[in-house]
Amino acid sequence: QVQLVESGGGSVQSGGSLRLSCPTSGYSGHCMGWFRQGPGKEREGVAVIDGGGGTSYADSVQGRFTISRDNAKNTLYLQMNSLKPEDTAMYYCAATARACWRIDDFAFSPGSYVYWGQGTQVAVSS
């Protein structure tokens, strides 16, 4: 598998948008997810996508964030709109060890993912 390397982070004002990217070569059919970890907080799942394109979101980002994967470009995206200061965190891309065709109760648990990127920082100012 290709190393997971996130890109697209940055600093924006409240209400702004960012799009994060992560390569997916070698992870066809795997569940992939975006996680974040704010200062002094535990890592939490933000959005996940299964091998068939099914998606699920944390309540805190539902309606504002969109996860997608472009198989032609071998890229996973997280489109983040209407950003809030509480969205400030390091954002990580992650993939499961094997093919995953259904989002289950453990999809938002970091322990369900084996492959991780180094993270990209997102800072939202008020």
Side-chain angles (χ1 to χ4, degrees), residues 5-7 19-23 32-36 44-49 65-68 76-79 91-94 108 113 116 119-120:
V5 180
E6 304 88 345
S7 61
R19 188 176 75 164
L20 307 183
S21 300
C22 176
M32 298 193 73
W34 288 98
F35 290 75
R36 68 186 181 187
E44 63 174 354
V46 174
V48 299
I49 187 167
F65 290 10
T66 302
I67 187 172
S68 62
L76 178 75
Y77 299 103
L78 183 69
Q79 178 66 45
Y91 283 72
Y92 300 88
C93 170
F108 284 86
Y113 297 79
W116 290 86
T120 185

PDB file of all heavy atoms in Angstrom, residues 5-7 19-23 32-36 44-49 65-68 76-79 91-94 108 113 116 119-120:
ATOM      1  N   VAL A   5      -0.660  10.054   3.167  1.00  0.00           N
ATOM      2  CA  VAL A   5      -0.129  11.394   3.407  1.00  0.00           C
ATOM      3  C   VAL A   5      -1.253  12.393   3.184  1.00  0.00           C
ATOM      4  O   VAL A   5      -1.734  12.552   2.061  1.00  0.00           O
ATOM      5  CB  VAL A   5       1.052  11.726   2.487  1.00  0.00           C
ATOM      6  CG1 VAL A   5       1.566  13.138   2.773  1.00  0.00           C
ATOM      7  CG2 VAL A   5       2.159  10.703   2.639  1.00  0.00           C
ATOM      8  N   GLU A   6      -1.650  13.056   4.242  1.00  0.00           N
ATOM      9  CA  GLU A   6      -2.725  14.020   4.141  1.00  0.00           C
ATOM     10  C   GLU A   6      -2.212  15.356   3.611  1.00  0.00           C
ATOM     11  O   GLU A   6      -1.064  15.723   3.843  1.00  0.00           O
ATOM     12  CB  GLU A   6      -3.377  14.269   5.515  1.00  0.00           C
ATOM     13  CG  GLU A   6      -3.905  13.039   6.206  1.00  0.00           C
ATOM     14  CD  GLU A   6      -2.876  12.324   7.056  1.00  0.00           C
ATOM     15  OE1 GLU A   6      -1.657  12.616   6.883  1.00  0.00           O
ATOM     16  OE2 GLU A   6      -3.253  11.486   7.887  1.00  0.00           O
ATOM     17  N   SER A   7      -3.086  16.069   2.930  1.00  0.00           N
ATOM     18  CA  SER A   7      -2.762  17.420   2.466  1.00  0.00           C
ATOM     19  C   SER A   7      -4.026  18.262   2.469  1.00  0.00           C
ATOM     20  O   SER A   7      -5.135  17.721   2.534  1.00  0.00           O
ATOM     21  CB  SER A   7      -2.156  17.383   1.061  1.00  0.00           C
ATOM     22  OG  SER A   7      -3.078  16.835   0.139  1.00  0.00           O
ATOM     23  N   ARG A  19     -10.547  21.652   1.877  1.00  0.00           N
ATOM     24  CA  ARG A  19     -10.693  20.290   1.377  1.00  0.00           C
ATOM     25  C   ARG A  19      -9.408  19.530   1.646  1.00  0.00           C
ATOM     26  O   ARG A  19      -8.339  19.908   1.169  1.00  0.00           O
ATOM     27  CB  ARG A  19     -11.011  20.262  -0.121  1.00  0.00           C
ATOM     28  CG  ARG A  19     -11.363  18.852  -0.605  1.00  0.00           C
ATOM     29  CD  ARG A  19     -11.771  18.799  -2.066  1.00  0.00           C
ATOM     30  NE  ARG A  19     -10.640  18.931  -2.966  1.00  0.00           N
ATOM     31  CZ  ARG A  19     -10.691  18.612  -4.254  1.00  0.00           C
ATOM     32  NH1 ARG A  19     -11.798  18.138  -4.788  1.00  0.00           N
ATOM     33  NH2 ARG A  19      -9.618  18.795  -5.008  1.00  0.00           N
ATOM     34  N   LEU A  20      -9.525  18.458   2.399  1.00  0.00           N
ATOM     35  CA  LEU A  20      -8.395  17.597   2.698  1.00  0.00           C
ATOM     36  C   LEU A  20      -8.338  16.459   1.687  1.00  0.00           C
ATOM     37  O   LEU A  20      -9.365  15.996   1.200  1.00  0.00           O
ATOM     38  CB  LEU A  20      -8.509  17.030   4.107  1.00  0.00           C
ATOM     39  CG  LEU A  20      -8.717  18.032   5.241  1.00  0.00           C
ATOM     40  CD1 LEU A  20      -8.725  17.299   6.581  1.00  0.00           C
ATOM     41  CD2 LEU A  20      -7.654  19.112   5.214  1.00  0.00           C
ATOM     42  N   SER A  21      -7.110  16.011   1.396  1.00  0.00           N
ATOM     43  CA  SER A  21      -6.911  14.919   0.445  1.00  0.00           C
ATOM     44  C   SER A  21      -5.984  13.868   1.033  1.00  0.00           C
ATOM     45  O   SER A  21      -5.151  14.173   1.897  1.00  0.00           O
ATOM     46  CB  SER A  21      -6.306  15.443  -0.860  1.00  0.00           C
ATOM     47  OG  SER A  21      -7.129  16.401  -1.466  1.00  0.00           O
ATOM     48  N   CYS A  22      -6.121  12.645   0.529  1.00  0.00           N
ATOM     49  CA  CYS A  22      -5.296  11.531   1.000  1.00  0.00           C
ATOM     50  C   CYS A  22      -5.267  10.485  -0.105  1.00  0.00           C
ATOM     51  O   CYS A  22      -6.319  10.158  -0.671  1.00  0.00           O
ATOM     52  CB  CYS A  22      -5.904  10.961   2.281  1.00  0.00           C
ATOM     53  SG  CYS A  22      -5.093   9.501   2.946  1.00  0.00           S
ATOM     54  N   PRO A  23      -4.112   9.917  -0.468  1.00  0.00           N
ATOM     55  CA  PRO A  23      -4.042   8.925  -1.534  1.00  0.00           C
ATOM     56  C   PRO A  23      -4.687   7.613  -1.107  1.00  0.00           C
ATOM     57  O   PRO A  23      -4.645   7.255   0.072  1.00  0.00           O
ATOM     58  CB  PRO A  23      -2.543   8.751  -1.761  1.00  0.00           C
ATOM     59  CG  PRO A  23      -1.946   9.049  -0.438  1.00  0.00           C
ATOM     60  CD  PRO A  23      -2.800  10.148   0.141  1.00  0.00           C
ATOM     61  N   MET A  32     -12.174   3.568   4.754  1.00  0.00           N
ATOM     62  CA  MET A  32     -11.246   4.647   5.052  1.00  0.00           C
ATOM     63  C   MET A  32     -11.978   5.711   5.848  1.00  0.00           C
ATOM     64  O   MET A  32     -13.196   5.858   5.740  1.00  0.00           O
ATOM     65  CB  MET A  32     -10.661   5.241   3.769  1.00  0.00           C
ATOM     66  CG  MET A  32      -9.858   4.235   2.973  1.00  0.00           C
ATOM     67  SD  MET A  32      -8.860   4.966   1.663  1.00  0.00           S
ATOM     68  CE  MET A  32      -7.550   5.755   2.607  1.00  0.00           C
ATOM     69  N   GLY A  33     -11.231   6.421   6.643  1.00  0.00           N
ATOM     70  CA  GLY A  33     -11.876   7.413   7.481  1.00  0.00           C
ATOM     71  C   GLY A  33     -11.007   8.624   7.725  1.00  0.00           C
ATOM     72  O   GLY A  33      -9.791   8.590   7.516  1.00  0.00           O
ATOM     73  N   TRP A  34     -11.657   9.677   8.123  1.00  0.00           N
ATOM     74  CA  TRP A  34     -10.979  10.881   8.584  1.00  0.00           C
ATOM     75  C   TRP A  34     -11.217  10.999  10.097  1.00  0.00           C
ATOM     76  O   TRP A  34     -12.368  10.905  10.559  1.00  0.00           O
ATOM     77  CB  TRP A  34     -11.511  12.123   7.879  1.00  0.00           C
ATOM     78  CG  TRP A  34     -11.096  12.227   6.462  1.00  0.00           C
ATOM     79  CD1 TRP A  34     -11.808  11.874   5.349  1.00  0.00           C
ATOM     80  CD2 TRP A  34      -9.824  12.715   5.988  1.00  0.00           C
ATOM     81  NE1 TRP A  34     -11.066  12.116   4.208  1.00  0.00           N
ATOM     82  CE2 TRP A  34      -9.856  12.628   4.578  1.00  0.00           C
ATOM     83  CE3 TRP A  34      -8.680  13.216   6.602  1.00  0.00           C
ATOM     84  CZ2 TRP A  34      -8.778  13.028   3.781  1.00  0.00           C
ATOM     85  CZ3 TRP A  34      -7.621  13.606   5.807  1.00  0.00           C
ATOM     86  CH2 TRP A  34      -7.674  13.515   4.416  1.00  0.00           C
ATOM     87  N   PHE A  35     -10.131  11.173  10.806  1.00  0.00           N
ATOM     88  CA  PHE A  35     -10.174  11.339  12.247  1.00  0.00           C
ATOM     89  C   PHE A  35      -9.532  12.675  12.594  1.00  0.00           C
ATOM     90  O   PHE A  35      -8.790  13.239  11.796  1.00  0.00           O
ATOM     91  CB  PHE A  35      -9.411  10.206  12.937  1.00  0.00           C
ATOM     92  CG  PHE A  35     -10.092   8.882  12.834  1.00  0.00           C
ATOM     93  CD1 PHE A  35     -10.083   8.156  11.653  1.00  0.00           C
ATOM     94  CD2 PHE A  35     -10.759   8.343  13.920  1.00  0.00           C
ATOM     95  CE1 PHE A  35     -10.730   6.939  11.554  1.00  0.00           C
ATOM     96  CE2 PHE A  35     -11.400   7.117  13.835  1.00  0.00           C
ATOM     97  CZ  PHE A  35     -11.384   6.420  12.652  1.00  0.00           C
ATOM     98  N   ARG A  36      -9.796  13.166  13.795  1.00  0.00           N
ATOM     99  CA  ARG A  36      -9.153  14.399  14.232  1.00  0.00           C
ATOM    100  C   ARG A  36      -8.837  14.321  15.716  1.00  0.00           C
ATOM    101  O   ARG A  36      -9.468  13.582  16.466  1.00  0.00           O
ATOM    102  CB  ARG A  36     -10.035  15.609  13.939  1.00  0.00           C
ATOM    103  CG  ARG A  36     -11.317  15.684  14.752  1.00  0.00           C
ATOM    104  CD  ARG A  36     -12.173  16.859  14.269  1.00  0.00           C
ATOM    105  NE  ARG A  36     -13.411  16.998  15.032  1.00  0.00           N
ATOM    106  CZ  ARG A  36     -14.375  17.852  14.712  1.00  0.00           C
ATOM    107  NH1 ARG A  36     -14.259  18.644  13.647  1.00  0.00           N
ATOM    108  NH2 ARG A  36     -15.467  17.917  15.466  1.00  0.00           N
ATOM    109  N   GLU A  44     -10.834  11.334  17.513  1.00  0.00           N
ATOM    110  CA  GLU A  44     -12.235  10.985  17.259  1.00  0.00           C
ATOM    111  C   GLU A  44     -12.493  10.828  15.768  1.00  0.00           C
ATOM    112  O   GLU A  44     -11.881  11.514  14.941  1.00  0.00           O
ATOM    113  CB  GLU A  44     -13.170  12.064  17.817  1.00  0.00           C
ATOM    114  CG  GLU A  44     -13.006  13.427  17.186  1.00  0.00           C
ATOM    115  CD  GLU A  44     -14.041  14.437  17.662  1.00  0.00           C
ATOM    116  OE1 GLU A  44     -14.965  14.044  18.403  1.00  0.00           O
ATOM    117  OE2 GLU A  44     -13.932  15.618  17.287  1.00  0.00           O
ATOM    118  N   GLY A  45     -13.408   9.927  15.442  1.00  0.00           N
ATOM    119  CA  GLY A  45     -13.791   9.733  14.057  1.00  0.00           C
ATOM    120  C   GLY A  45     -14.687  10.860  13.579  1.00  0.00           C
ATOM    121  O   GLY A  45     -15.595  11.276  14.300  1.00  0.00           O
ATOM    122  N   VAL A  46     -14.436  11.352  12.389  1.00  0.00           N
ATOM    123  CA  VAL A  46     -15.193  12.452  11.806  1.00  0.00           C
ATOM    124  C   VAL A  46     -16.123  11.953  10.701  1.00  0.00           C
ATOM    125  O   VAL A  46     -17.307  12.258  10.679  1.00  0.00           O
ATOM    126  CB  VAL A  46     -14.240  13.521  11.251  1.00  0.00           C
ATOM    127  CG1 VAL A  46     -15.012  14.600  10.501  1.00  0.00           C
ATOM    128  CG2 VAL A  46     -13.413  14.136  12.365  1.00  0.00           C
ATOM    129  N   ALA A  47     -15.556  11.156   9.805  1.00  0.00           N
ATOM    130  CA  ALA A  47     -16.326  10.643   8.669  1.00  0.00           C
ATOM    131  C   ALA A  47     -15.662   9.375   8.167  1.00  0.00           C
ATOM    132  O   ALA A  47     -14.436   9.276   8.180  1.00  0.00           O
ATOM    133  CB  ALA A  47     -16.389  11.681   7.543  1.00  0.00           C
ATOM    134  N   VAL A  48     -16.466   8.422   7.744  1.00  0.00           N
ATOM    135  CA  VAL A  48     -15.939   7.165   7.221  1.00  0.00           C
ATOM    136  C   VAL A  48     -16.647   6.809   5.928  1.00  0.00           C
ATOM    137  O   VAL A  48     -17.787   7.232   5.693  1.00  0.00           O
ATOM    138  CB  VAL A  48     -16.081   6.016   8.242  1.00  0.00           C
ATOM    139  CG1 VAL A  48     -15.304   6.331   9.503  1.00  0.00           C
ATOM    140  CG2 VAL A  48     -17.535   5.762   8.565  1.00  0.00           C
ATOM    141  N   ILE A  49     -15.948   6.020   5.094  1.00  0.00           N
ATOM    142  CA  ILE A  49     -16.505   5.571   3.830  1.00  0.00           C
ATOM    143  C   ILE A  49     -16.102   4.120   3.634  1.00  0.00           C
ATOM    144  O   ILE A  49     -14.958   3.747   3.889  1.00  0.00           O
ATOM    145  CB  ILE A  49     -16.033   6.468   2.668  1.00  0.00           C
ATOM    146  CG1 ILE A  49     -16.728   6.120   1.362  1.00  0.00           C
ATOM    147  CG2 ILE A  49     -14.519   6.442   2.505  1.00  0.00           C
ATOM    148  CD1 ILE A  49     -16.528   7.157   0.266  1.00  0.00           C
ATOM    149  N   PHE A  65     -19.609  18.529   6.593  1.00  0.00           N
ATOM    150  CA  PHE A  65     -18.472  17.831   6.001  1.00  0.00           C
ATOM    151  C   PHE A  65     -18.982  16.755   5.045  1.00  0.00           C
ATOM    152  O   PHE A  65     -20.031  16.150   5.270  1.00  0.00           O
ATOM    153  CB  PHE A  65     -17.624  17.147   7.080  1.00  0.00           C
ATOM    154  CG  PHE A  65     -16.855  18.079   7.976  1.00  0.00           C
ATOM    155  CD1 PHE A  65     -17.069  19.460   7.968  1.00  0.00           C
ATOM    156  CD2 PHE A  65     -15.888  17.577   8.834  1.00  0.00           C
ATOM    157  CE1 PHE A  65     -16.351  20.306   8.795  1.00  0.00           C
ATOM    158  CE2 PHE A  65     -15.162  18.398   9.669  1.00  0.00           C
ATOM    159  CZ  PHE A  65     -15.397  19.764   9.653  1.00  0.00           C
ATOM    160  N   THR A  66     -18.189  16.499   3.990  1.00  0.00           N
ATOM    161  CA  THR A  66     -18.502  15.439   3.044  1.00  0.00           C
ATOM    162  C   THR A  66     -17.257  14.622   2.757  1.00  0.00           C
ATOM    163  O   THR A  66     -16.236  15.177   2.336  1.00  0.00           O
ATOM    164  CB  THR A  66     -19.041  16.013   1.729  1.00  0.00           C
ATOM    165  OG1 THR A  66     -20.201  16.811   1.986  1.00  0.00           O
ATOM    166  CG2 THR A  66     -19.419  14.888   0.773  1.00  0.00           C
ATOM    167  N   ILE A  67     -17.350  13.314   2.974  1.00  0.00           N
ATOM    168  CA  ILE A  67     -16.247  12.411   2.629  1.00  0.00           C
ATOM    169  C   ILE A  67     -16.543  11.775   1.284  1.00  0.00           C
ATOM    170  O   ILE A  67     -17.693  11.436   0.994  1.00  0.00           O
ATOM    171  CB  ILE A  67     -16.043  11.334   3.734  1.00  0.00           C
ATOM    172  CG1 ILE A  67     -14.793  10.511   3.452  1.00  0.00           C
ATOM    173  CG2 ILE A  67     -17.278  10.445   3.857  1.00  0.00           C
ATOM    174  CD1 ILE A  67     -14.428   9.565   4.604  1.00  0.00           C
ATOM    175  N   SER A  68     -15.520  11.631   0.465  1.00  0.00           N
ATOM    176  CA  SER A  68     -15.715  11.000  -0.841  1.00  0.00           C
ATOM    177  C   SER A  68     -14.398  10.384  -1.284  1.00  0.00           C
ATOM    178  O   SER A  68     -13.331  10.742  -0.781  1.00  0.00           O
ATOM    179  CB  SER A  68     -16.197  12.022  -1.877  1.00  0.00           C
ATOM    180  OG  SER A  68     -15.233  13.046  -2.066  1.00  0.00           O
ATOM    181  N   LEU A  76      -8.818  10.131  -1.567  1.00  0.00           N
ATOM    182  CA  LEU A  76      -9.878  10.302  -0.581  1.00  0.00           C
ATOM    183  C   LEU A  76      -9.945  11.778  -0.230  1.00  0.00           C
ATOM    184  O   LEU A  76      -8.907  12.424  -0.067  1.00  0.00           O
ATOM    185  CB  LEU A  76      -9.570   9.487   0.675  1.00  0.00           C
ATOM    186  CG  LEU A  76     -10.561   9.580   1.830  1.00  0.00           C
ATOM    187  CD1 LEU A  76     -11.824   8.782   1.504  1.00  0.00           C
ATOM    188  CD2 LEU A  76      -9.919   9.064   3.112  1.00  0.00           C
ATOM    189  N   TYR A  77     -11.148  12.304  -0.132  1.00  0.00           N
ATOM    190  CA  TYR A  77     -11.332  13.717   0.180  1.00  0.00           C
ATOM    191  C   TYR A  77     -12.186  13.897   1.429  1.00  0.00           C
ATOM    192  O   TYR A  77     -13.014  13.054   1.768  1.00  0.00           O
ATOM    193  CB  TYR A  77     -12.036  14.449  -0.971  1.00  0.00           C
ATOM    194  CG  TYR A  77     -11.301  14.428  -2.277  1.00  0.00           C
ATOM    195  CD1 TYR A  77     -11.693  13.571  -3.314  1.00  0.00           C
ATOM    196  CD2 TYR A  77     -10.215  15.268  -2.496  1.00  0.00           C
ATOM    197  CE1 TYR A  77     -11.026  13.567  -4.520  1.00  0.00           C
ATOM    198  CE2 TYR A  77      -9.541  15.262  -3.703  1.00  0.00           C
ATOM    199  CZ  TYR A  77      -9.951  14.396  -4.710  1.00  0.00           C
ATOM    200  OH  TYR A  77      -9.282  14.388  -5.905  1.00  0.00           O
ATOM    201  N   LEU A  78     -11.979  15.033   2.069  1.00  0.00           N
ATOM    202  CA  LEU A  78     -12.894  15.497   3.101  1.00  0.00           C
ATOM    203  C   LEU A  78     -13.158  16.973   2.820  1.00  0.00           C
ATOM    204  O   LEU A  78     -12.285  17.811   3.028  1.00  0.00           O
ATOM    205  CB  LEU A  78     -12.334  15.323   4.513  1.00  0.00           C
ATOM    206  CG  LEU A  78     -13.302  15.741   5.627  1.00  0.00           C
ATOM    207  CD1 LEU A  78     -14.484  14.761   5.688  1.00  0.00           C
ATOM    208  CD2 LEU A  78     -12.593  15.784   6.980  1.00  0.00           C
ATOM    209  N   GLN A  79     -14.336  17.261   2.291  1.00  0.00           N
ATOM    210  CA  GLN A  79     -14.736  18.637   2.057  1.00  0.00           C
ATOM    211  C   GLN A  79     -15.355  19.180   3.332  1.00  0.00           C
ATOM    212  O   GLN A  79     -16.327  18.613   3.836  1.00  0.00           O
ATOM    213  CB  GLN A  79     -15.747  18.716   0.912  1.00  0.00           C
ATOM    214  CG  GLN A  79     -16.267  20.112   0.623  1.00  0.00           C
ATOM    215  CD  GLN A  79     -15.194  21.036   0.096  1.00  0.00           C
ATOM    216  OE1 GLN A  79     -14.419  20.679  -0.772  1.00  0.00           O
ATOM    217  NE2 GLN A  79     -15.136  22.264   0.631  1.00  0.00           N
ATOM    218  N   TYR A  91      -5.894  16.588  11.615  1.00  0.00           N
ATOM    219  CA  TYR A  91      -6.757  15.663  10.903  1.00  0.00           C
ATOM    220  C   TYR A  91      -5.934  14.540  10.280  1.00  0.00           C
ATOM    221  O   TYR A  91      -4.908  14.793   9.639  1.00  0.00           O
ATOM    222  CB  TYR A  91      -7.557  16.390   9.830  1.00  0.00           C
ATOM    223  CG  TYR A  91      -8.725  17.171  10.398  1.00  0.00           C
ATOM    224  CD1 TYR A  91      -8.509  18.340  11.131  1.00  0.00           C
ATOM    225  CD2 TYR A  91     -10.035  16.747  10.219  1.00  0.00           C
ATOM    226  CE1 TYR A  91      -9.570  19.052  11.667  1.00  0.00           C
ATOM    227  CE2 TYR A  91     -11.105  17.456  10.750  1.00  0.00           C
ATOM    228  CZ  TYR A  91     -10.858  18.595  11.482  1.00  0.00           C
ATOM    229  OH  TYR A  91     -11.917  19.303  12.016  1.00  0.00           O
ATOM    230  N   TYR A  92      -6.422  13.315  10.481  1.00  0.00           N
ATOM    231  CA  TYR A  92      -5.714  12.139  10.013  1.00  0.00           C
ATOM    232  C   TYR A  92      -6.570  11.323   9.049  1.00  0.00           C
ATOM    233  O   TYR A  92      -7.776  11.172   9.263  1.00  0.00           O
ATOM    234  CB  TYR A  92      -5.340  11.229  11.186  1.00  0.00           C
ATOM    235  CG  TYR A  92      -4.441  11.864  12.217  1.00  0.00           C
ATOM    236  CD1 TYR A  92      -4.972  12.576  13.291  1.00  0.00           C
ATOM    237  CD2 TYR A  92      -3.055  11.741  12.127  1.00  0.00           C
ATOM    238  CE1 TYR A  92      -4.152  13.150  14.242  1.00  0.00           C
ATOM    239  CE2 TYR A  92      -2.223  12.310  13.079  1.00  0.00           C
ATOM    240  CZ  TYR A  92      -2.776  13.016  14.125  1.00  0.00           C
ATOM    241  OH  TYR A  92      -1.962  13.588  15.075  1.00  0.00           O
ATOM    242  N   CYS A  93      -5.908  10.763   8.063  1.00  0.00           N
ATOM    243  CA  CYS A  93      -6.520   9.808   7.144  1.00  0.00           C
ATOM    244  C   CYS A  93      -6.147   8.409   7.631  1.00  0.00           C
ATOM    245  O   CYS A  93      -5.013   8.191   8.073  1.00  0.00           O
ATOM    246  CB  CYS A  93      -5.968  10.071   5.741  1.00  0.00           C
ATOM    247  SG  CYS A  93      -6.358   8.856   4.508  1.00  0.00           S
ATOM    248  N   ALA A  94      -7.077   7.455   7.550  1.00  0.00           N
ATOM    249  CA  ALA A  94      -6.800   6.106   8.026  1.00  0.00           C
ATOM    250  C   ALA A  94      -7.498   5.078   7.146  1.00  0.00           C
ATOM    251  O   ALA A  94      -8.511   5.378   6.515  1.00  0.00           O
ATOM    252  CB  ALA A  94      -7.264   5.945   9.471  1.00  0.00           C
ATOM    253  N   PHE A 108     -16.112   4.131  13.693  1.00  0.00           N
ATOM    254  CA  PHE A 108     -15.564   5.390  14.183  1.00  0.00           C
ATOM    255  C   PHE A 108     -14.529   5.184  15.286  1.00  0.00           C
ATOM    256  O   PHE A 108     -14.059   6.137  15.902  1.00  0.00           O
ATOM    257  CB  PHE A 108     -16.690   6.306  14.674  1.00  0.00           C
ATOM    258  CG  PHE A 108     -17.452   6.933  13.552  1.00  0.00           C
ATOM    259  CD1 PHE A 108     -18.515   6.273  12.967  1.00  0.00           C
ATOM    260  CD2 PHE A 108     -17.088   8.170  13.048  1.00  0.00           C
ATOM    261  CE1 PHE A 108     -19.217   6.828  11.907  1.00  0.00           C
ATOM    262  CE2 PHE A 108     -17.783   8.751  11.997  1.00  0.00           C
ATOM    263  CZ  PHE A 108     -18.851   8.077  11.418  1.00  0.00           C
ATOM    264  N   TYR A 113      -8.660   0.771  12.578  1.00  0.00           N
ATOM    265  CA  TYR A 113      -7.834   1.162  11.442  1.00  0.00           C
ATOM    266  C   TYR A 113      -6.370   0.846  11.718  1.00  0.00           C
ATOM    267  O   TYR A 113      -5.883   1.051  12.818  1.00  0.00           O
ATOM    268  CB  TYR A 113      -8.024   2.652  11.133  1.00  0.00           C
ATOM    269  CG  TYR A 113      -9.447   2.953  10.728  1.00  0.00           C
ATOM    270  CD1 TYR A 113     -10.450   3.075  11.677  1.00  0.00           C
ATOM    271  CD2 TYR A 113      -9.802   3.067   9.389  1.00  0.00           C
ATOM    272  CE1 TYR A 113     -11.767   3.309  11.311  1.00  0.00           C
ATOM    273  CE2 TYR A 113     -11.119   3.312   9.015  1.00  0.00           C
ATOM    274  CZ  TYR A 113     -12.093   3.423   9.988  1.00  0.00           C
ATOM    275  OH  TYR A 113     -13.399   3.641   9.620  1.00  0.00           O
ATOM    276  N   TRP A 116      -2.261   4.659   8.987  1.00  0.00           N
ATOM    277  CA  TRP A 116      -2.506   6.039   9.371  1.00  0.00           C
ATOM    278  C   TRP A 116      -1.528   6.982   8.686  1.00  0.00           C
ATOM    279  O   TRP A 116      -0.361   6.629   8.466  1.00  0.00           O
ATOM    280  CB  TRP A 116      -2.351   6.213  10.881  1.00  0.00           C
ATOM    281  CG  TRP A 116      -3.429   5.571  11.675  1.00  0.00           C
ATOM    282  CD1 TRP A 116      -3.481   4.267  12.091  1.00  0.00           C
ATOM    283  CD2 TRP A 116      -4.624   6.183  12.138  1.00  0.00           C
ATOM    284  NE1 TRP A 116      -4.653   4.040  12.784  1.00  0.00           N
ATOM    285  CE2 TRP A 116      -5.367   5.201  12.831  1.00  0.00           C
ATOM    286  CE3 TRP A 116      -5.164   7.468  12.036  1.00  0.00           C
ATOM    287  CZ2 TRP A 116      -6.611   5.469  13.423  1.00  0.00           C
ATOM    288  CZ3 TRP A 116      -6.388   7.733  12.630  1.00  0.00           C
ATOM    289  CH2 TRP A 116      -7.096   6.746  13.314  1.00  0.00           C
ATOM    290  N   GLY A 119      -0.932  13.262   9.503  1.00  0.00           N
ATOM    291  CA  GLY A 119      -1.840  14.326   9.905  1.00  0.00           C
ATOM    292  C   GLY A 119      -1.588  15.646   9.201  1.00  0.00           C
ATOM    293  O   GLY A 119      -0.469  15.923   8.751  1.00  0.00           O
ATOM    294  N   THR A 120      -2.630  16.436   9.106  1.00  0.00           N
ATOM    295  CA  THR A 120      -2.537  17.793   8.563  1.00  0.00           C
ATOM    296  C   THR A 120      -3.331  18.704   9.484  1.00  0.00           C
ATOM    297  O   THR A 120      -4.435  18.363   9.917  1.00  0.00           O
ATOM    298  CB  THR A 120      -3.068  17.857   7.113  1.00  0.00           C
ATOM    299  OG1 THR A 120      -2.852  19.163   6.579  1.00  0.00           O
ATOM    300  CG2 THR A 120      -4.551  17.515   7.008  1.00  0.00           C
TER     301      THR A 120
END
